[in-house]
């Protein structure tokens, strides 16, 4: 089976230069490079891959959101998935980044660098401050006590209260404030557990799931369910604010699409099973 | 989540045979009426060399996809749901199907050949709905009695677990469960008990005793049905269960409550945690924190119960003092038995239901598959997720699947939709895909003695996969022209 592994695809278009793995700061300066997946994505390091993809995060007009990376995108750009998982685990412990479980799909996770998340949190808190509500000190407590010590994707109510109480008296109003700010979400299966969440991300997630469906249906409608990468990348998705490259990486990493190396370039095909 | 059977196709039932033969002596193949003439087990491969190194899987899988690596096909009028090869001889394959029938096949003797290359096996007997004590609904699990092939146990969605006598093809014992039976398991290393652990749609795991014909005890702790069960391969008293709530619990059946709940967020990097990190804090902290403490007295109890735990857990630390301060005044103050407090532990091993469990033969690692389409490898001793990422697979979400693991070559076989994928156990790379079924594959079983993989699926077939012939042997056989059938030299009798 002549398929390249979806992980390390040398997605190089014709005539494009190869970008080294460390020139992530220049990635968007050249407009041609900013468009394409034609970069060489065989990163040996998870952190470098993360920083590269962070810099390639598309700019969304309506919502101000800091860059985040989906875990499936990471799998498609680093060769060894087990190593990715382990690197993520150690980066989580070092508090360089945080992982969030998304509500789109069974196993979707988003990775955000810590400074980006704090910025996002700050902008969401500012919105609350404008409305002049009291009890705003809970956000400070959250940042200082909960974020530092709880590194998982979810937290139990009991533990949340006990961690917040390091700052002061905790009431239910405080927890409600956190939920309405978007920092926590209740779990559907268990009323006592909360997921950590990225505030203001709702419209993006909607766009994510719709964009995935649109891209898959685009390829499924074709006769042989495949398309060369170069023209595919130039298409724009109608329903998603995120660009095609974001979705391609995500779907290749989660196994819905496969990329194959052919004499005519790279071809993206819907995976059969 | 309740198991739903998808693609339910019942056969026409025309292959029912109640052949009136008896196993006078299970170990003598000559007594079986089927071995009339020495027939080859496999037509296109030499049947010797059980030492064919299965690490040659890399060569084998390429062949399997291209040519007939299929050594045999069993034509059956069933959707194979679960299968089991007996452990004493490795000769009889028991499979249960969704039309309520269970059949036994002799995997070392073929009955005829299809086109000269593919061997076909007919079943030795079938028990189905027409049998006066047969199951009425789909059979979800079928296992052999671990000591010999005189008994086998089937569990079905009609809430019954039946123990059958193989020679008489009669039910000797019948246990009624409160819900649909999803899985049964018997420990193959048990010497002091003969308990069948059964998991059903009810939240409790029941242990049925063949010796007395009654339930010995129930294990509670799961919050939803129990879909998969597996006895430990290193201790006859330890049972591992995976539930529809996503939790995997370890039970020592000699005491109440489970002693470990696997949590997917507790992980270790690599197969063993580095020694310098110290002994990992076990789930003890969680259950101490979740035990609503009334005062110091309940904490004093816990060190005592610690010492009665089985051997492997003796060295766990108690970090009680730190957790004590963190537990702020919660709701009601009930004193719980320390063993039962783990029912408060809500750690999940998967984001969906746990659909399959398989322990490695050395008893150190556990593989679990979930309906979130992830396969996780757990280190049993530390209770941590080893973070091995098995590349993207899509698993069926509504019913239990049967995994196979072969530790000597570090292989894991997972039925993934309509194919079976083989992975390397420690790195998670996909070594190959076995595509031969037309519909969803439900179960796969790896036979260590013959080094064959049996897979059963909804398309009513059980396929046998074996490593392809090494190239050297092929060249030797070219010299002998026209000899496509090689004889099974072990199959002789006076």
């Amino acid at each position: 089976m002549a398929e390249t592994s979806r992980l390390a695809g040398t997605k190089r278009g014709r005539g494009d230069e190869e970008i080294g793995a460390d020139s992530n700061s220049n990635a968007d300066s050249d407009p041609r490079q900013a468009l394409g997946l034609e970069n060489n994505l065989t990163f040996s390091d998870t952190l470098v891959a993360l920083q590269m993809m962070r810099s390639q995060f598309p700019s969304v007009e309506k919502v101000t959101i800091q860059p985040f990376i989906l875990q499936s995108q990471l799998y498609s750009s680093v060769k060894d998935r087990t190593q990715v998982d382990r690197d993520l685990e150690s980066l989580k412990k070092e508090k360089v980044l945080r992982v969030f479980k998304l509500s789109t799909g069974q196993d979707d996770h988003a990775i955000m660098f810590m400074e980006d998340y704090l910025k996002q949190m700050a902008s969401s808190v500012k919105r609350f401050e404008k409305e002049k509500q009291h009890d705003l000190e809970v956000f400070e407590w959250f940042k200082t006590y909960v974020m530092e010590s709880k590194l998982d994707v979810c937290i139990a109510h009991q533990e949340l209260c006990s961690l917040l109480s390091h700052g002061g008296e905790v009431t239910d109003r405080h927890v409600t404030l956190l939920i309405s700010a978007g920092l926590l979400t209740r779990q559907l299966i268990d009323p006592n557990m909360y997921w950590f969440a990225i505030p203001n991300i709702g419209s993006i997630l909607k766009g994510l799931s719709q964009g995935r469906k649109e891209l898959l249906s685009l390829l499924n409608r074709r006769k042989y369910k495949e398309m060369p990468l170069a023209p595919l990348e130039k298409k724009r998705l109608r329903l998603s604010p995120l660009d095609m490259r974001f979705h391609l990486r995500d779907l290749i990493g989660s196994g819905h699409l496969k990329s194959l190396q052919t004499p005519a370039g790279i071809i993206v095909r819907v995976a059969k099973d | 989540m309740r198991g739903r059977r998808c693609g339910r196709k019942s056969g026409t039932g025309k292959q029912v045979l109640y052949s009136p033969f008896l196993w006078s002596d299970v170990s003598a193949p000559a007594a079986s009426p089927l071995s009339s003439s020495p027939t080859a087990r496999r037509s296109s491969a030499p049947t010797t060399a059980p030492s064919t190194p299965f690490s040659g899987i890399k060569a084998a899988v390429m062949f399997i996809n291209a040519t007939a690596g299929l050594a045999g096909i069993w034509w059956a009028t069933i959707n194979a749901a679960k299968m089991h090869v007996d452990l004493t001889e490795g000769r009889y394959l028991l499979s249960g199907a969704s039309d309520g029938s269970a059949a036994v096949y002799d995997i070392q003797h073929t009955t005829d050949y299809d086109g000269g290359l593919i061997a076909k096996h007919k079943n030795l007997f079938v028990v189905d709905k027409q049998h006066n004590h047969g199951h009425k609904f789909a059979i979800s699990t079928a296992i052999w009695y671990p000591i010999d092939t005189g008994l086998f146990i089937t569990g079905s969605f009609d809430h019954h677990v039946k123990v059958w006598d193989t020679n008489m093809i009669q039910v000797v014992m019948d246990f009624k469960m409160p819900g649909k039976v999803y899985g049964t398991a018997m420990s193959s290393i048990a010497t002091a008990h003969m308990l069948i652990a059964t998991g059903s749609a009810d939240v409790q795991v029941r242990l049925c005793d063949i010796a007395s014909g009654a339930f010995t005890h129930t294990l509670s702790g799961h919050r939803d049905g129990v879909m998969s069960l597996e006895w430990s391969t290193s201790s006859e008293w330890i049972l591992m269960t995976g539930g529809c709530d996503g939790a995997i619990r370890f039970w020592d059946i000699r005491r109440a409550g489970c002693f470990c709940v696997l949590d997917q967020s507790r992980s270790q990097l690599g197969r063993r945690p580095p020694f310098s990190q110290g002994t990992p804090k076990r789930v003890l902290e969680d259950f101490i924190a979740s035990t609503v403490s009334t005062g110091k007295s309940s904490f004093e109890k816990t060190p005592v119960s610690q010492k009665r735990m089985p051997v492997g857990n003796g060295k766990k630390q108690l970090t009680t003092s730190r957790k004590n301060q963190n537990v702020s005044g919660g709701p009601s103050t009930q004193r719980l038995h320390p063993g039962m407090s783990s029912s408060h532990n809500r750690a999940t091993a998967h984001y969906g239901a746990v659909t399959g469990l398989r322990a490695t033969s050395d008893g150190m690692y556990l593989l679990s598959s979930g309906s979130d389409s992830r396969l996780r490898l757990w280190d049993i001793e530390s209770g941590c997720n080893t973070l091995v990422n098995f590349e993207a697979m899509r698993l069926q979400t509504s019913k239990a699947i049967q995994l196979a693991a072969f530790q000597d070559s570090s292989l894991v076989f997972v039925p993934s939709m309509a194919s079976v994928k083989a992975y390397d156990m420690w790195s998670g790379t996909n070594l190959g895909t076995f595509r031969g079924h037309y519909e969803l594959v439900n179960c796969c079983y790896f036979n260590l003695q013959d080094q064959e993989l049996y897979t059963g699926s909804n398309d009513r077939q059980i396929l046998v996969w074996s490593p392809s012939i090494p190239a050297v042997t092929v060249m030797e056989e070219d010299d002998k022209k026209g000899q496509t059938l090689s004889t099974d030299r072990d199959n002789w009798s006076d």
Side-chain angles (χ1 to χ4, degrees):
Chain A
M1 273 193 262
E3 55 189 38
T4 58
S5 60
R6 61 187 78 107
L7 352 128
T10 51
K11 300 181 176 73
R12 201 175 319 181
R14 277 178 247 133
D16 268 338
E17 307 164 351
E18 173 187 6
I19 288 192
D22 47 354
S23 62
N24 42 8
S25 51
N26 304 331
D28 284 317
S29 54
D30 185 351
R32 266 192 325 166
Q33 304 303 346
L35 273 182
L37 266 180
E38 280 84 38
N39 314 331
N40 187 343
L41 290 177
T42 42
F43 297 123
S44 55
D45 188 24
T46 317
L47 191 58
V48 170
L50 282 168
Q51 283 163 349
M52 177 69 146
M53 285 192 285
R54 178 181 175 274
S55 60
Q56 290 174 349
F57 189 76
S59 50
V60 181
E61 317 84 40
K62 295 182 201 143
V63 187
T64 50
I65 181 151
Q66 303 296 320
F68 66 90
I69 302 122
L70 293 175
Q71 207 170 6
S72 47
Q73 293 179 328
L74 200 54
Y75 289 147
S76 70
S77 54
V78 181
K79 207 171 167 54
D80 184 4
R81 291 178 178 221
T82 308
Q83 194 56 38
V84 169
D85 275 350
R86 292 182 178 156
D87 285 342
L88 268 183
E89 194 65 30
S90 37
L91 286 171
K92 259 198 321 192
K93 290 206 170 69
E94 293 166 20
K95 300 192 192 136
V96 174
L97 44 82
R98 273 197 86 93
V99 181
F100 301 94
K101 184 168 186 311
L102 298 177
S103 52
T104 57
Q106 227 7 341
D107 203 16
D108 269 345
H109 292 267
I111 303 161
M112 222 187 203
F113 280 95
M114 194 58 117
E115 55 266 11
D116 291 336
Y117 182 62
L118 293 173
K119 264 190 249 169
Q120 185 82 12
M121 211 168 80
S123 63
S124 134
V125 169
K126 232 190 302 252
R127 212 166 39 90
F128 269 74
E129 274 169 13
K130 284 202 192 104
E131 298 168 20
K132 294 250 182 355
Q133 295 197 15
H134 40 99
D135 297 329
L136 288 177
E137 62 274 7
V138 68
F139 295 115
E140 267 311 305
W141 299 345
F142 188 76
K143 188 154 76 168
T144 333
Y145 301 114
V146 180
M147 298 279 298
E148 295 298 308
S149 36
K150 188 74 179 172
L151 302 171
D152 289 336
V153 291
C154 58
I155 187 170
H157 179 81
Q158 194 91 342
E159 200 178 347
L160 176 69
C161 291
S162 65
L163 285 172
L164 284 175
S165 60
H166 288 285
E169 189 67 37
V170 181
T171 60
D172 277 343
R173 252 210 107 238
H174 290 123
V175 179
T176 318
L177 213 57
L178 285 173
I179 295 179
S180 47
L183 295 169
L184 290 176
T185 334
R186 294 196 101 103
Q187 285 194 12
L188 295 173
I189 36 176
D190 194 349
N192 281 335
M193 297 283 285
Y194 302 102
W195 298 119
F196 286 110
I198 305 175
N200 297 337
I201 204 179
S203 55
I204 306 259
L205 290 186
K206 179 166 177 233
L208 178 69
S209 42
Q210 284 186 330
R212 277 177 182 164
K213 273 193 265 192
E214 189 186 345
L215 178 52
L216 281 175
S217 71
L218 199 146
L219 284 174
N220 270 321
R221 267 182 281 136
R222 297 181 71 87
K223 185 172 181 191
Y224 293 108
K225 302 200 186 346
E226 63 187 11
M227 196 167 169
L229 182 66
L232 180 60
E233 260 191 290
K234 295 192 172 55
K235 286 186 184 280
R236 288 206 55 209
L237 288 169
R238 230 172 9 104
L239 302 166
S240 166
L242 304 161
D243 63 355
M244 177 62 86
R245 174 174 56 181
F246 189 93
H247 285 289
L248 273 174
R249 278 214 188 104
D250 166 45
L251 286 173
I252 291 177
S254 61
H256 289 93
L257 294 179
K258 273 198 299 243
S259 67
L260 298 94
Q261 189 72 258
T262 64
I266 295 188
I267 285 198
V268 174
R269 179 188 288 176
V270 176
K272 249 186 315 187
D273 76 22
Chain B
M1 133 154 351
R2 297 286 172 258
R4 288 271 76 188
R5 189 135 289 272
C6 49
R8 187 176 181 153
K9 296 185 185 77
S10 57
T12 56
K14 57 182 189 255
Q15 272 190 339
V16 171
L17 18 115
Y18 294 156
S19 49
F21 72 92
L22 297 170
W23 267 284
S24 51
D25 180 2
V26 168
S27 56
S32 164
L34 288 179
S35 64
S36 47
S37 60
T39 51
R41 182 157 54 106
R42 172 175 325 121
S43 55
S44 54
T47 54
T48 55
S51 60
T52 309
F54 206 75
S55 57
I57 181 93
K58 288 192 178 65
V61 292
M62 288 193 282
F63 277 89
I64 281 169
N65 285 327
T67 59
L70 306 178
I73 305 181
W74 283 292
W75 291 105
T77 57
I78 56 173
N79 304 343
K82 278 290 156 56
M83 58 172 72
H84 199 230
V85 173
D86 74 302
L87 302 161
T88 44
E89 246 191 317
R91 185 177 166 189
Y92 297 106
L93 174 78
L94 167 71
S95 75
S98 65
D99 65 347
S101 64
V104 171
Y105 300 89
D106 183 342
I107 52 187
Q108 287 174 4
H109 295 276
T110 60
T111 47
D112 54 33
Y113 289 94
D114 184 20
L117 282 179
I118 309 265
K120 284 212 278 183
H121 300 248
K122 276 220 182 108
N123 52 30
L124 296 173
F125 65 85
V126 171
V127 284
D128 62 0
K129 288 182 193 164
Q130 283 142 18
H131 192 269
N132 50 3
H133 290 294
H135 284 290
K136 308 239 171 352
F137 297 139
I139 289 186
S140 55
T141 160
I143 52 175
W144 285 107
Y145 181 56
I147 312 295
D148 60 32
T149 52
L151 292 176
F152 63 91
I153 295 126
T154 55
S156 139
F157 281 179
D158 67 354
H159 303 213
H160 283 267
V161 173
K162 295 187 199 274
V163 181
W164 301 77
D165 179 327
T166 327
N167 293 330
M168 300 293 166
I169 317 180
Q170 293 297 329
V171 176
V172 292
M173 222 170 270
D174 191 352
F175 299 97
K176 181 142 186 7
M177 296 287 149
K180 289 187 195 170
V181 177
Y182 288 139
T184 55
M186 279 195 81
S187 174
S188 51
I189 50 173
T191 51
H193 66 81
M194 41 168 88
L195 297 171
I196 309 175
T198 51
S200 64
D202 183 46
V203 300
Q204 293 179 328
V205 178
R206 284 184 160 69
L207 296 175
C208 317
D209 189 10
I210 300 185
S212 62
F215 297 109
T216 50
H217 45 289
T218 60
L219 309 171
S220 3
H222 276 287
R223 288 199 305 285
D224 202 352
V226 176
M227 220 178 214
S228 49
L229 304 107
E230 172 94 348
W231 285 89
S232 162
T233 43
S234 55
S235 162
E236 59 175 334
W237 305 108
I238 297 185
L239 173 69
M240 302 173 278
T241 56
C244 297
D245 55 354
I248 297 179
R249 288 174 181 257
F250 281 53
W251 313 84
D252 182 333
I253 60 174
R254 295 169 294 187
R255 49 189 291 270
C258 71
F259 63 88
C260 178
V261 181
L262 295 181
D263 185 354
Q264 60 182 314
S265 54
R266 293 188 52 243
S267 51
Q268 68 192 32
L269 308 179
R271 301 193 205 182
R272 281 257 165 255
F275 190 68
S276 55
Q277 281 181 11
T279 53
K281 298 176 292 235
R282 275 286 280 275
V283 71
L284 264 209
E285 299 180 4
D286 301 326
F287 94 72
I288 288 174
S290 61
T291 312
V292 183
S293 63
T294 56
K296 300 219 180 73
S297 50
S298 64
F299 281 93
E300 282 160 13
K301 250 189 144 66
T302 46
V304 173
S305 67
Q306 261 295 69
K307 297 199 177 58
R308 281 189 284 126
M309 276 187 177
V311 178
N313 311 333
K315 57 185 170 116
K316 301 301 174 277
Q317 304 171 7
L318 283 178
T319 55
T320 56
S321 52
R322 183 165 70 85
K323 280 292 166 183
N324 197 3
Q325 285 154 17
N326 278 345
V327 174
S328 50
S332 74
T333 57
Q334 274 181 1
R335 284 265 302 271
L336 287 176
H337 189 282
M340 297 312 295
S341 51
S342 65
S343 55
H344 285 299
N345 189 339
R346 298 186 149 181
T348 54
H350 281 273
Y351 287 123
V354 178
T355 50
L357 284 179
R358 179 66 62 201
T360 54
S361 50
D362 61 357
M364 302 217 306
Y365 295 96
L366 176 69
L367 274 163
S368 69
S369 71
S371 63
D372 56 352
S373 288
R374 292 293 289 255
L375 195 66
R376 295 194 207 272
L377 183 69
W378 306 86
D379 180 341
I380 293 183
E381 181 64 20
S382 61
C384 294
N385 182 357
T386 54
L387 290 181
V388 178
N389 189 321
F390 294 92
E391 292 169 3
M393 61 179 79
R394 252 172 289 294
L395 302 175
Q396 331 184 26
T397 55
S398 57
K399 56 186 180 197
I401 57 175
Q402 193 177 357
L403 311 169
F406 180 37
Q407 194 172 14
D408 295 342
S409 304
S410 306
L411 287 170
V412 174
F413 298 99
V414 184
S416 155
M417 294 313 201
S419 63
V420 177
K421 294 204 162 114
Y423 291 93
D424 176 70
M425 204 187 287
W426 308 118
S427 67
T429 45
N430 184 358
L431 295 174
T433 311
F434 299 83
R435 292 203 177 93
H437 282 289
Y438 301 123
E439 306 240 354
L440 296 177
V441 181
N442 297 320
C443 48
C444 61
Y445 191 90
F446 185 71
N447 188 350
L448 233 65
Q449 293 174 8
D450 300 331
Q451 303 225 342
E452 287 174 334
L453 178 72
Y454 308 104
T455 58
S457 97
N458 278 358
D459 62 357
R460 299 179 269 164
Q461 288 183 12
I462 303 176
L463 298 179
V464 188
W465 304 87
S466 61
S468 58
I469 318 161
V472 175
T473 328
V474 170
M475 287 195 305
E476 287 172 6
E477 282 198 9
D478 277 347
D479 297 339
K480 317 170 203 162
K481 294 193 179 70
Q483 181 168 358
T484 49
L485 294 177
S486 51
T487 56
D488 183 357
R489 292 205 190 95
D490 291 335
N491 185 13
W492 60 270
S493 72
D494 289 333

